[in-house]
Amino acid sequence: ELHKEDDDLCSILHGEVDSRFQEIFRSKYGMPIPAEGERWEAFADYARSTLQRYAEQYQDQKVVAVTHAEFIVASIATLFGRSGQGIWLEPTNASITEWAWSGGRWSLLRYNDAYHVRGVGL
């Protein structure tokens, strides 16, 4: 399948959220998103489980996923075994972060590679 939308690649939910994401979150975690917004720990766990699902679903395939910076930061924090507390990363718009799944573990191959948009003014 060449193109598939996946709501699991969404950004962290801040405060008042639309009902569609509220339903998705409730169906996955059995609880609503708090009115003040989603907690970072829950979002990081959400990112980890999404990447684990991708590793299982697309084993031995290349997958290109377009997502937001918060998802990238959460994936780096959680896959390196950190909670995300004290981590400050700012991926450049349209940059590439590349992970590889092999032997039951993730490896970070590239982070924040924006060579392809150099001089574009992002």
PDB file of all heavy atoms in Angstrom, residues 14-52:
ATOM      1  N   HIS A  14      -2.909  18.971  22.884  1.00  0.00           N
ATOM      2  CA  HIS A  14      -2.828  20.059  23.850  1.00  0.00           C
ATOM      3  C   HIS A  14      -4.226  20.553  24.197  1.00  0.00           C
ATOM      4  O   HIS A  14      -4.912  21.108  23.349  1.00  0.00           O
ATOM      5  CB  HIS A  14      -2.017  21.230  23.288  1.00  0.00           C
ATOM      6  CG  HIS A  14      -0.620  20.857  22.950  1.00  0.00           C
ATOM      7  ND1 HIS A  14       0.352  20.726  23.912  1.00  0.00           N
ATOM      8  CD2 HIS A  14      -0.021  20.563  21.771  1.00  0.00           C
ATOM      9  CE1 HIS A  14       1.495  20.396  23.337  1.00  0.00           C
ATOM     10  NE2 HIS A  14       1.291  20.291  22.044  1.00  0.00           N
ATOM     11  N   GLY A  15      -4.636  20.376  25.406  1.00  0.00           N
ATOM     12  CA  GLY A  15      -5.894  20.955  25.879  1.00  0.00           C
ATOM     13  C   GLY A  15      -7.117  20.473  25.133  1.00  0.00           C
ATOM     14  O   GLY A  15      -7.274  19.288  24.874  1.00  0.00           O
ATOM     15  N   GLU A  16      -7.988  21.387  24.789  1.00  0.00           N
ATOM     16  CA  GLU A  16      -9.233  21.048  24.108  1.00  0.00           C
ATOM     17  C   GLU A  16      -8.924  20.338  22.799  1.00  0.00           C
ATOM     18  O   GLU A  16      -8.243  20.870  21.937  1.00  0.00           O
ATOM     19  CB  GLU A  16     -10.046  22.315  23.844  1.00  0.00           C
ATOM     20  CG  GLU A  16     -10.479  23.012  25.105  1.00  0.00           C
ATOM     21  CD  GLU A  16     -11.363  22.145  25.992  1.00  0.00           C
ATOM     22  OE1 GLU A  16     -12.273  21.483  25.468  1.00  0.00           O
ATOM     23  OE2 GLU A  16     -11.139  22.134  27.210  1.00  0.00           O
ATOM     24  N   VAL A  17      -9.393  19.123  22.659  1.00  0.00           N
ATOM     25  CA  VAL A  17      -9.107  18.326  21.469  1.00  0.00           C
ATOM     26  C   VAL A  17     -10.406  18.018  20.750  1.00  0.00           C
ATOM     27  O   VAL A  17     -11.475  17.986  21.348  1.00  0.00           O
ATOM     28  CB  VAL A  17      -8.390  17.003  21.838  1.00  0.00           C
ATOM     29  CG1 VAL A  17      -7.052  17.289  22.453  1.00  0.00           C
ATOM     30  CG2 VAL A  17      -9.228  16.157  22.770  1.00  0.00           C
ATOM     31  N   ASP A  18     -10.269  17.782  19.446  1.00  0.00           N
ATOM     32  CA  ASP A  18     -11.488  17.452  18.709  1.00  0.00           C
ATOM     33  C   ASP A  18     -11.927  16.035  19.052  1.00  0.00           C
ATOM     34  O   ASP A  18     -11.148  15.216  19.517  1.00  0.00           O
ATOM     35  CB  ASP A  18     -11.322  17.675  17.206  1.00  0.00           C
ATOM     36  CG  ASP A  18     -10.364  16.704  16.540  1.00  0.00           C
ATOM     37  OD1 ASP A  18     -10.422  15.509  16.841  1.00  0.00           O
ATOM     38  OD2 ASP A  18      -9.578  17.151  15.690  1.00  0.00           O
ATOM     39  N   SER A  19     -13.166  15.748  18.827  1.00  0.00           N
ATOM     40  CA  SER A  19     -13.751  14.479  19.262  1.00  0.00           C
ATOM     41  C   SER A  19     -13.142  13.279  18.558  1.00  0.00           C
ATOM     42  O   SER A  19     -13.079  12.197  19.123  1.00  0.00           O
ATOM     43  CB  SER A  19     -15.264  14.499  19.042  1.00  0.00           C
ATOM     44  OG  SER A  19     -15.554  14.685  17.673  1.00  0.00           O
ATOM     45  N   ARG A  20     -12.642  13.436  17.338  1.00  0.00           N
ATOM     46  CA  ARG A  20     -12.064  12.307  16.611  1.00  0.00           C
ATOM     47  C   ARG A  20     -10.839  11.776  17.345  1.00  0.00           C
ATOM     48  O   ARG A  20     -10.705  10.575  17.571  1.00  0.00           O
ATOM     49  CB  ARG A  20     -11.691  12.734  15.196  1.00  0.00           C
ATOM     50  CG  ARG A  20     -11.214  11.572  14.343  1.00  0.00           C
ATOM     51  CD  ARG A  20     -10.932  12.046  12.962  1.00  0.00           C
ATOM     52  NE  ARG A  20      -9.630  12.689  12.990  1.00  0.00           N
ATOM     53  CZ  ARG A  20      -8.721  12.517  12.047  1.00  0.00           C
ATOM     54  NH1 ARG A  20      -8.990  11.807  10.999  1.00  0.00           N
ATOM     55  NH2 ARG A  20      -7.553  13.104  12.137  1.00  0.00           N
ATOM     56  N   PHE A  21      -9.915  12.654  17.754  1.00  0.00           N
ATOM     57  CA  PHE A  21      -8.734  12.196  18.478  1.00  0.00           C
ATOM     58  C   PHE A  21      -9.096  11.708  19.876  1.00  0.00           C
ATOM     59  O   PHE A  21      -8.475  10.800  20.402  1.00  0.00           O
ATOM     60  CB  PHE A  21      -7.668  13.288  18.534  1.00  0.00           C
ATOM     61  CG  PHE A  21      -6.982  13.488  17.212  1.00  0.00           C
ATOM     62  CD1 PHE A  21      -7.123  14.676  16.527  1.00  0.00           C
ATOM     63  CD2 PHE A  21      -6.229  12.483  16.650  1.00  0.00           C
ATOM     64  CE1 PHE A  21      -6.503  14.854  15.300  1.00  0.00           C
ATOM     65  CE2 PHE A  21      -5.608  12.645  15.427  1.00  0.00           C
ATOM     66  CZ  PHE A  21      -5.750  13.844  14.755  1.00  0.00           C
ATOM     67  N   GLN A  22     -10.098  12.310  20.483  1.00  0.00           N
ATOM     68  CA  GLN A  22     -10.559  11.853  21.786  1.00  0.00           C
ATOM     69  C   GLN A  22     -11.031  10.400  21.685  1.00  0.00           C
ATOM     70  O   GLN A  22     -10.694   9.564  22.527  1.00  0.00           O
ATOM     71  CB  GLN A  22     -11.679  12.763  22.287  1.00  0.00           C
ATOM     72  CG  GLN A  22     -12.144  12.478  23.690  1.00  0.00           C
ATOM     73  CD  GLN A  22     -11.134  12.811  24.748  1.00  0.00           C
ATOM     74  OE1 GLN A  22     -10.424  11.940  25.201  1.00  0.00           O
ATOM     75  NE2 GLN A  22     -11.071  14.065  25.168  1.00  0.00           N
ATOM     76  N   GLU A  23     -11.780  10.081  20.626  1.00  0.00           N
ATOM     77  CA  GLU A  23     -12.273   8.705  20.426  1.00  0.00           C
ATOM     78  C   GLU A  23     -11.122   7.736  20.189  1.00  0.00           C
ATOM     79  O   GLU A  23     -11.119   6.625  20.730  1.00  0.00           O
ATOM     80  CB  GLU A  23     -13.237   8.675  19.238  1.00  0.00           C
ATOM     81  CG  GLU A  23     -14.557   9.356  19.491  1.00  0.00           C
ATOM     82  CD  GLU A  23     -15.396   9.474  18.218  1.00  0.00           C
ATOM     83  OE1 GLU A  23     -15.157   8.704  17.279  1.00  0.00           O
ATOM     84  OE2 GLU A  23     -16.269  10.351  18.197  1.00  0.00           O
ATOM     85  N   ILE A  24     -10.147   8.140  19.379  1.00  0.00           N
ATOM     86  CA  ILE A  24      -9.000   7.278  19.093  1.00  0.00           C
ATOM     87  C   ILE A  24      -8.234   6.991  20.378  1.00  0.00           C
ATOM     88  O   ILE A  24      -7.896   5.843  20.677  1.00  0.00           O
ATOM     89  CB  ILE A  24      -8.075   7.943  18.047  1.00  0.00           C
ATOM     90  CG1 ILE A  24      -8.777   7.999  16.688  1.00  0.00           C
ATOM     91  CG2 ILE A  24      -6.739   7.214  17.943  1.00  0.00           C
ATOM     92  CD1 ILE A  24      -8.098   8.916  15.688  1.00  0.00           C
ATOM     93  N   PHE A  25      -7.945   8.020  21.153  1.00  0.00           N
ATOM     94  CA  PHE A  25      -7.196   7.850  22.399  1.00  0.00           C
ATOM     95  C   PHE A  25      -7.959   6.957  23.365  1.00  0.00           C
ATOM     96  O   PHE A  25      -7.393   6.046  23.964  1.00  0.00           O
ATOM     97  CB  PHE A  25      -6.916   9.222  23.033  1.00  0.00           C
ATOM     98  CG  PHE A  25      -5.895   9.167  24.132  1.00  0.00           C
ATOM     99  CD1 PHE A  25      -4.552   9.300  23.855  1.00  0.00           C
ATOM    100  CD2 PHE A  25      -6.283   8.986  25.453  1.00  0.00           C
ATOM    101  CE1 PHE A  25      -3.603   9.251  24.866  1.00  0.00           C
ATOM    102  CE2 PHE A  25      -5.350   8.944  26.469  1.00  0.00           C
ATOM    103  CZ  PHE A  25      -4.004   9.070  26.174  1.00  0.00           C
ATOM    104  N   ARG A  26      -9.276   7.211  23.505  1.00  0.00           N
ATOM    105  CA  ARG A  26     -10.092   6.417  24.426  1.00  0.00           C
ATOM    106  C   ARG A  26     -10.105   4.946  23.995  1.00  0.00           C
ATOM    107  O   ARG A  26      -9.997   4.045  24.828  1.00  0.00           O
ATOM    108  CB  ARG A  26     -11.511   6.963  24.488  1.00  0.00           C
ATOM    109  CG  ARG A  26     -12.371   6.239  25.528  1.00  0.00           C
ATOM    110  CD  ARG A  26     -13.821   6.701  25.496  1.00  0.00           C
ATOM    111  NE  ARG A  26     -13.989   8.113  25.701  1.00  0.00           N
ATOM    112  CZ  ARG A  26     -14.192   8.690  26.879  1.00  0.00           C
ATOM    113  NH1 ARG A  26     -14.247   7.960  27.968  1.00  0.00           N
ATOM    114  NH2 ARG A  26     -14.341   9.991  26.981  1.00  0.00           N
ATOM    115  N   SER A  27     -10.203   4.667  22.686  1.00  0.00           N
ATOM    116  CA  SER A  27     -10.252   3.275  22.221  1.00  0.00           C
ATOM    117  C   SER A  27      -8.925   2.559  22.456  1.00  0.00           C
ATOM    118  O   SER A  27      -8.902   1.366  22.713  1.00  0.00           O
ATOM    119  CB  SER A  27     -10.643   3.213  20.746  1.00  0.00           C
ATOM    120  OG  SER A  27      -9.604   3.688  19.928  1.00  0.00           O
ATOM    121  N   LYS A  28      -7.806   3.277  22.396  1.00  0.00           N
ATOM    122  CA  LYS A  28      -6.499   2.644  22.585  1.00  0.00           C
ATOM    123  C   LYS A  28      -6.119   2.484  24.050  1.00  0.00           C
ATOM    124  O   LYS A  28      -5.496   1.509  24.431  1.00  0.00           O
ATOM    125  CB  LYS A  28      -5.419   3.455  21.872  1.00  0.00           C
ATOM    126  CG  LYS A  28      -5.477   3.323  20.382  1.00  0.00           C
ATOM    127  CD  LYS A  28      -4.256   3.933  19.769  1.00  0.00           C
ATOM    128  CE  LYS A  28      -4.190   3.626  18.308  1.00  0.00           C
ATOM    129  NZ  LYS A  28      -3.894   2.242  18.001  1.00  0.00           N
ATOM    130  N   TYR A  29      -6.483   3.489  24.882  1.00  0.00           N
ATOM    131  CA  TYR A  29      -6.023   3.497  26.263  1.00  0.00           C
ATOM    132  C   TYR A  29      -7.130   3.346  27.288  1.00  0.00           C
ATOM    133  O   TYR A  29      -6.855   3.282  28.478  1.00  0.00           O
ATOM    134  CB  TYR A  29      -5.217   4.774  26.539  1.00  0.00           C
ATOM    135  CG  TYR A  29      -3.936   4.800  25.734  1.00  0.00           C
ATOM    136  CD1 TYR A  29      -3.833   5.569  24.584  1.00  0.00           C
ATOM    137  CD2 TYR A  29      -2.852   4.028  26.099  1.00  0.00           C
ATOM    138  CE1 TYR A  29      -2.669   5.576  23.827  1.00  0.00           C
ATOM    139  CE2 TYR A  29      -1.683   4.020  25.358  1.00  0.00           C
ATOM    140  CZ  TYR A  29      -1.607   4.795  24.225  1.00  0.00           C
ATOM    141  OH  TYR A  29      -0.464   4.788  23.491  1.00  0.00           O
ATOM    142  N   GLY A  30      -8.376   3.305  26.840  1.00  0.00           N
ATOM    143  CA  GLY A  30      -9.489   3.085  27.751  1.00  0.00           C
ATOM    144  C   GLY A  30      -9.785   4.239  28.681  1.00  0.00           C
ATOM    145  O   GLY A  30     -10.430   4.064  29.708  1.00  0.00           O
ATOM    146  N   MET A  31      -9.268   5.407  28.353  1.00  0.00           N
ATOM    147  CA  MET A  31      -9.529   6.588  29.179  1.00  0.00           C
ATOM    148  C   MET A  31      -9.526   7.815  28.272  1.00  0.00           C
ATOM    149  O   MET A  31      -8.912   7.803  27.216  1.00  0.00           O
ATOM    150  CB  MET A  31      -8.466   6.749  30.261  1.00  0.00           C
ATOM    151  CG  MET A  31      -7.080   6.962  29.720  1.00  0.00           C
ATOM    152  SD  MET A  31      -5.877   7.069  31.048  1.00  0.00           S
ATOM    153  CE  MET A  31      -4.399   7.423  30.123  1.00  0.00           C
ATOM    154  N   PRO A  32     -10.230   8.853  28.669  1.00  0.00           N
ATOM    155  CA  PRO A  32     -10.227  10.070  27.854  1.00  0.00           C
ATOM    156  C   PRO A  32      -8.949  10.868  28.059  1.00  0.00           C
ATOM    157  O   PRO A  32      -8.250  10.700  29.051  1.00  0.00           O
ATOM    158  CB  PRO A  32     -11.432  10.846  28.382  1.00  0.00           C
ATOM    159  CG  PRO A  32     -11.541  10.406  29.799  1.00  0.00           C
ATOM    160  CD  PRO A  32     -11.108   8.956  29.816  1.00  0.00           C
ATOM    161  N   ILE A  33      -8.647  11.728  27.103  1.00  0.00           N
ATOM    162  CA  ILE A  33      -7.529  12.653  27.254  1.00  0.00           C
ATOM    163  C   ILE A  33      -7.956  13.697  28.277  1.00  0.00           C
ATOM    164  O   ILE A  33      -9.046  14.253  28.170  1.00  0.00           O
ATOM    165  CB  ILE A  33      -7.198  13.333  25.917  1.00  0.00           C
ATOM    166  CG1 ILE A  33      -6.759  12.279  24.900  1.00  0.00           C
ATOM    167  CG2 ILE A  33      -6.114  14.384  26.093  1.00  0.00           C
ATOM    168  CD1 ILE A  33      -6.674  12.788  23.496  1.00  0.00           C
ATOM    169  N   PRO A  34      -7.147  13.978  29.274  1.00  0.00           N
ATOM    170  CA  PRO A  34      -7.524  14.992  30.264  1.00  0.00           C
ATOM    171  C   PRO A  34      -7.793  16.335  29.592  1.00  0.00           C
ATOM    172  O   PRO A  34      -7.176  16.669  28.587  1.00  0.00           O
ATOM    173  CB  PRO A  34      -6.287  15.084  31.165  1.00  0.00           C
ATOM    174  CG  PRO A  34      -5.524  13.826  30.920  1.00  0.00           C
ATOM    175  CD  PRO A  34      -5.841  13.404  29.525  1.00  0.00           C
ATOM    176  N   ALA A  35      -8.716  17.108  30.134  1.00  0.00           N
ATOM    177  CA  ALA A  35      -9.094  18.397  29.559  1.00  0.00           C
ATOM    178  C   ALA A  35      -7.896  19.328  29.425  1.00  0.00           C
ATOM    179  O   ALA A  35      -7.820  20.130  28.507  1.00  0.00           O
ATOM    180  CB  ALA A  35     -10.171  19.054  30.418  1.00  0.00           C
ATOM    181  N   GLU A  36      -6.932  19.202  30.322  1.00  0.00           N
ATOM    182  CA  GLU A  36      -5.766  20.085  30.254  1.00  0.00           C
ATOM    183  C   GLU A  36      -4.753  19.609  29.219  1.00  0.00           C
ATOM    184  O   GLU A  36      -3.740  20.225  29.002  1.00  0.00           O
ATOM    185  CB  GLU A  36      -5.097  20.227  31.625  1.00  0.00           C
ATOM    186  CG  GLU A  36      -4.419  18.971  32.138  1.00  0.00           C
ATOM    187  CD  GLU A  36      -5.343  18.025  32.872  1.00  0.00           C
ATOM    188  OE1 GLU A  36      -6.558  18.274  32.935  1.00  0.00           O
ATOM    189  OE2 GLU A  36      -4.849  17.012  33.392  1.00  0.00           O
ATOM    190  N   GLY A  37      -5.011  18.482  28.580  1.00  0.00           N
ATOM    191  CA  GLY A  37      -4.122  17.975  27.542  1.00  0.00           C
ATOM    192  C   GLY A  37      -3.529  16.631  27.924  1.00  0.00           C
ATOM    193  O   GLY A  37      -3.655  16.158  29.032  1.00  0.00           O
ATOM    194  N   GLU A  38      -2.880  16.037  26.979  1.00  0.00           N
ATOM    195  CA  GLU A  38      -2.290  14.723  27.148  1.00  0.00           C
ATOM    196  C   GLU A  38      -0.977  14.832  27.914  1.00  0.00           C
ATOM    197  O   GLU A  38      -0.186  15.736  27.679  1.00  0.00           O
ATOM    198  CB  GLU A  38      -2.044  14.156  25.750  1.00  0.00           C
ATOM    199  CG  GLU A  38      -1.521  12.773  25.701  1.00  0.00           C
ATOM    200  CD  GLU A  38      -1.373  12.287  24.265  1.00  0.00           C
ATOM    201  OE1 GLU A  38      -1.669  13.037  23.328  1.00  0.00           O
ATOM    202  OE2 GLU A  38      -0.958  11.139  24.118  1.00  0.00           O
ATOM    203  N   ARG A  39      -0.753  13.926  28.824  1.00  0.00           N
ATOM    204  CA  ARG A  39       0.496  13.916  29.575  1.00  0.00           C
ATOM    205  C   ARG A  39       1.621  13.381  28.699  1.00  0.00           C
ATOM    206  O   ARG A  39       1.425  12.471  27.900  1.00  0.00           O
ATOM    207  CB  ARG A  39       0.341  13.044  30.808  1.00  0.00           C
ATOM    208  CG  ARG A  39      -0.610  13.661  31.818  1.00  0.00           C
ATOM    209  CD  ARG A  39      -0.643  12.887  33.084  1.00  0.00           C
ATOM    210  NE  ARG A  39       0.727  12.504  33.445  1.00  0.00           N
ATOM    211  CZ  ARG A  39       1.026  11.609  34.360  1.00  0.00           C
ATOM    212  NH1 ARG A  39       0.087  11.029  35.030  1.00  0.00           N
ATOM    213  NH2 ARG A  39       2.269  11.296  34.625  1.00  0.00           N
ATOM    214  N   TRP A  40       2.823  13.953  28.872  1.00  0.00           N
ATOM    215  CA  TRP A  40       3.962  13.559  28.053  1.00  0.00           C
ATOM    216  C   TRP A  40       4.252  12.065  28.167  1.00  0.00           C
ATOM    217  O   TRP A  40       4.537  11.400  27.178  1.00  0.00           O
ATOM    218  CB  TRP A  40       5.204  14.364  28.456  1.00  0.00           C
ATOM    219  CG  TRP A  40       6.406  13.878  27.702  1.00  0.00           C
ATOM    220  CD1 TRP A  40       7.376  13.065  28.165  1.00  0.00           C
ATOM    221  CD2 TRP A  40       6.716  14.139  26.339  1.00  0.00           C
ATOM    222  NE1 TRP A  40       8.294  12.807  27.172  1.00  0.00           N
ATOM    223  CE2 TRP A  40       7.909  13.451  26.042  1.00  0.00           C
ATOM    224  CE3 TRP A  40       6.109  14.889  25.330  1.00  0.00           C
ATOM    225  CZ2 TRP A  40       8.517  13.495  24.791  1.00  0.00           C
ATOM    226  CZ3 TRP A  40       6.718  14.931  24.082  1.00  0.00           C
ATOM    227  CH2 TRP A  40       7.895  14.245  23.826  1.00  0.00           C
ATOM    228  N   GLU A  41       4.176  11.505  29.369  1.00  0.00           N
ATOM    229  CA  GLU A  41       4.485  10.088  29.568  1.00  0.00           C
ATOM    230  C   GLU A  41       3.545   9.204  28.750  1.00  0.00           C
ATOM    231  O   GLU A  41       3.975   8.217  28.155  1.00  0.00           O
ATOM    232  CB  GLU A  41       4.397   9.702  31.059  1.00  0.00           C
ATOM    233  CG  GLU A  41       5.437  10.373  31.926  1.00  0.00           C
ATOM    234  CD  GLU A  41       5.030  11.775  32.365  1.00  0.00           C
ATOM    235  OE1 GLU A  41       3.877  12.199  32.109  1.00  0.00           O
ATOM    236  OE2 GLU A  41       5.877  12.464  32.953  1.00  0.00           O
ATOM    237  N   ALA A  42       2.268   9.563  28.724  1.00  0.00           N
ATOM    238  CA  ALA A  42       1.296   8.794  27.943  1.00  0.00           C
ATOM    239  C   ALA A  42       1.596   8.929  26.459  1.00  0.00           C
ATOM    240  O   ALA A  42       1.511   7.957  25.710  1.00  0.00           O
ATOM    241  CB  ALA A  42      -0.128   9.256  28.248  1.00  0.00           C
ATOM    242  N   PHE A  43       1.964  10.136  26.030  1.00  0.00           N
ATOM    243  CA  PHE A  43       2.271  10.344  24.620  1.00  0.00           C
ATOM    244  C   PHE A  43       3.520   9.568  24.214  1.00  0.00           C
ATOM    245  O   PHE A  43       3.567   8.958  23.148  1.00  0.00           O
ATOM    246  CB  PHE A  43       2.442  11.831  24.313  1.00  0.00           C
ATOM    247  CG  PHE A  43       2.727  12.084  22.863  1.00  0.00           C
ATOM    248  CD1 PHE A  43       1.730  11.931  21.910  1.00  0.00           C
ATOM    249  CD2 PHE A  43       3.992  12.454  22.453  1.00  0.00           C
ATOM    250  CE1 PHE A  43       1.992  12.151  20.577  1.00  0.00           C
ATOM    251  CE2 PHE A  43       4.262  12.683  21.110  1.00  0.00           C
ATOM    252  CZ  PHE A  43       3.256  12.526  20.168  1.00  0.00           C
ATOM    253  N   ALA A  44       4.551   9.567  25.064  1.00  0.00           N
ATOM    254  CA  ALA A  44       5.779   8.832  24.758  1.00  0.00           C
ATOM    255  C   ALA A  44       5.483   7.338  24.647  1.00  0.00           C
ATOM    256  O   ALA A  44       6.007   6.654  23.762  1.00  0.00           O
ATOM    257  CB  ALA A  44       6.841   9.104  25.815  1.00  0.00           C
ATOM    258  N   ASP A  45       4.645   6.816  25.525  1.00  0.00           N
ATOM    259  CA  ASP A  45       4.251   5.413  25.460  1.00  0.00           C
ATOM    260  C   ASP A  45       3.463   5.136  24.181  1.00  0.00           C
ATOM    261  O   ASP A  45       3.624   4.102  23.541  1.00  0.00           O
ATOM    262  CB  ASP A  45       3.431   5.027  26.692  1.00  0.00           C
ATOM    263  CG  ASP A  45       3.261   3.526  26.807  1.00  0.00           C
ATOM    264  OD1 ASP A  45       4.257   2.793  26.624  1.00  0.00           O
ATOM    265  OD2 ASP A  45       2.124   3.086  27.065  1.00  0.00           O
ATOM    266  N   TYR A  46       2.625   6.056  23.810  1.00  0.00           N
ATOM    267  CA  TYR A  46       1.843   5.981  22.575  1.00  0.00           C
ATOM    268  C   TYR A  46       2.784   5.910  21.366  1.00  0.00           C
ATOM    269  O   TYR A  46       2.608   5.080  20.471  1.00  0.00           O
ATOM    270  CB  TYR A  46       0.955   7.226  22.526  1.00  0.00           C
ATOM    271  CG  TYR A  46      -0.016   7.343  21.404  1.00  0.00           C
ATOM    272  CD1 TYR A  46      -1.193   6.614  21.401  1.00  0.00           C
ATOM    273  CD2 TYR A  46       0.219   8.242  20.366  1.00  0.00           C
ATOM    274  CE1 TYR A  46      -2.114   6.765  20.386  1.00  0.00           C
ATOM    275  CE2 TYR A  46      -0.692   8.395  19.345  1.00  0.00           C
ATOM    276  CZ  TYR A  46      -1.859   7.659  19.355  1.00  0.00           C
ATOM    277  OH  TYR A  46      -2.763   7.806  18.346  1.00  0.00           O
ATOM    278  N   ALA A  47       3.819   6.757  21.343  1.00  0.00           N
ATOM    279  CA  ALA A  47       4.794   6.749  20.240  1.00  0.00           C
ATOM    280  C   ALA A  47       5.529   5.411  20.195  1.00  0.00           C
ATOM    281  O   ALA A  47       5.706   4.819  19.127  1.00  0.00           O
ATOM    282  CB  ALA A  47       5.778   7.906  20.404  1.00  0.00           C
ATOM    283  N   ARG A  48       5.962   4.916  21.355  1.00  0.00           N
ATOM    284  CA  ARG A  48       6.673   3.635  21.405  1.00  0.00           C
ATOM    285  C   ARG A  48       5.812   2.498  20.889  1.00  0.00           C
ATOM    286  O   ARG A  48       6.248   1.677  20.088  1.00  0.00           O
ATOM    287  CB  ARG A  48       7.128   3.323  22.837  1.00  0.00           C
ATOM    288  CG  ARG A  48       7.940   2.030  22.952  1.00  0.00           C
ATOM    289  CD  ARG A  48       7.983   1.498  24.367  1.00  0.00           C
ATOM    290  NE  ARG A  48       6.700   1.410  25.016  1.00  0.00           N
ATOM    291  CZ  ARG A  48       5.747   0.503  24.732  1.00  0.00           C
ATOM    292  NH1 ARG A  48       5.935  -0.383  23.794  1.00  0.00           N
ATOM    293  NH2 ARG A  48       4.608   0.488  25.394  1.00  0.00           N
ATOM    294  N   SER A  49       4.554   2.451  21.302  1.00  0.00           N
ATOM    295  CA  SER A  49       3.681   1.364  20.854  1.00  0.00           C
ATOM    296  C   SER A  49       3.379   1.474  19.362  1.00  0.00           C
ATOM    297  O   SER A  49       3.237   0.458  18.675  1.00  0.00           O
ATOM    298  CB  SER A  49       2.397   1.315  21.677  1.00  0.00           C
ATOM    299  OG  SER A  49       1.607   2.459  21.475  1.00  0.00           O
ATOM    300  N   THR A  50       3.301   2.689  18.850  1.00  0.00           N
ATOM    301  CA  THR A  50       3.092   2.875  17.404  1.00  0.00           C
ATOM    302  C   THR A  50       4.291   2.346  16.630  1.00  0.00           C
ATOM    303  O   THR A  50       4.130   1.616  15.643  1.00  0.00           O
ATOM    304  CB  THR A  50       2.861   4.362  17.085  1.00  0.00           C
ATOM    305  OG1 THR A  50       1.675   4.801  17.743  1.00  0.00           O
ATOM    306  CG2 THR A  50       2.716   4.589  15.588  1.00  0.00           C
ATOM    307  N   LEU A  51       5.500   2.675  17.072  1.00  0.00           N
ATOM    308  CA  LEU A  51       6.687   2.180  16.383  1.00  0.00           C
ATOM    309  C   LEU A  51       6.822   0.671  16.502  1.00  0.00           C
ATOM    310  O   LEU A  51       7.245   0.006  15.556  1.00  0.00           O
ATOM    311  CB  LEU A  51       7.931   2.883  16.929  1.00  0.00           C
ATOM    312  CG  LEU A  51       8.012   4.369  16.584  1.00  0.00           C
ATOM    313  CD1 LEU A  51       9.180   5.010  17.305  1.00  0.00           C
ATOM    314  CD2 LEU A  51       8.104   4.589  15.095  1.00  0.00           C
ATOM    315  N   GLN A  52       6.446   0.116  17.634  1.00  0.00           N
ATOM    316  CA  GLN A  52       6.483  -1.337  17.794  1.00  0.00           C
ATOM    317  C   GLN A  52       5.508  -2.012  16.825  1.00  0.00           C
ATOM    318  O   GLN A  52       5.829  -3.016  16.208  1.00  0.00           O
ATOM    319  CB  GLN A  52       6.149  -1.731  19.239  1.00  0.00           C
ATOM    320  CG  GLN A  52       6.320  -3.202  19.516  1.00  0.00           C
ATOM    321  CD  GLN A  52       7.754  -3.660  19.325  1.00  0.00           C
ATOM    322  OE1 GLN A  52       8.701  -2.953  19.651  1.00  0.00           O
ATOM    323  NE2 GLN A  52       7.925  -4.843  18.780  1.00  0.00           N
TER     324      GLN A  52
END
